Amino acid sequence: MTSMTHDGPQITGGVDTRGLAHHAAVIDTAGRHLADREFPATIRGYRDLLEWMRSHGALIAVGVAPALTEPNSPGC
């Protein structure tokens, strides 16, 4: 197993899944918005999204909001 170290602040990422594209954002430990961006929902898009998040600092957690397919699904 390899270990990765990152310089910079600790950050948390969030992803809102949306069919063909996902919207991602990163915040710092104080909850301040650092950046957001949309990525295609493809293997390359997922790789780019993760690389983009990590470019903002040490990624400590990621939350994902799944797309809801039914209007009356729980959590809607």
Side-chain angles (χ1 to χ4, degrees):
M1 180 185 292
T2 60
S3 172
M4 297 180 73
T5 59
H6 298 277
D7 293 330
Q10 290 187 332
I11 60 161
T12 298
V15 181
D16 184 11
T17 61
R18 301 179 181 177
L20 298 177
H22 299 329
H23 191 88
V26 289
I27 60 172
D28 64 15
T29 55
R32 291 181 293 245
H33 175 267
L34 299 176
D36 62 275
R37 186 172 158 191
E38 193 166 273
F39 294 87
T42 63
I43 291 172
R44 180 67 194 180
Y46 301 142
R47 289 179 183 147
D48 290 346
L49 186 155
L50 185 56
E51 181 179 325
W52 173 81
M53 282 187 174
R54 289 179 172 160
S55 75
H56 289 84
L59 186 60
I60 58 173
V62 177
V64 178
L68 299 175
T69 57
E70 307 228 1
N72 295 322
S73 296
C76 230

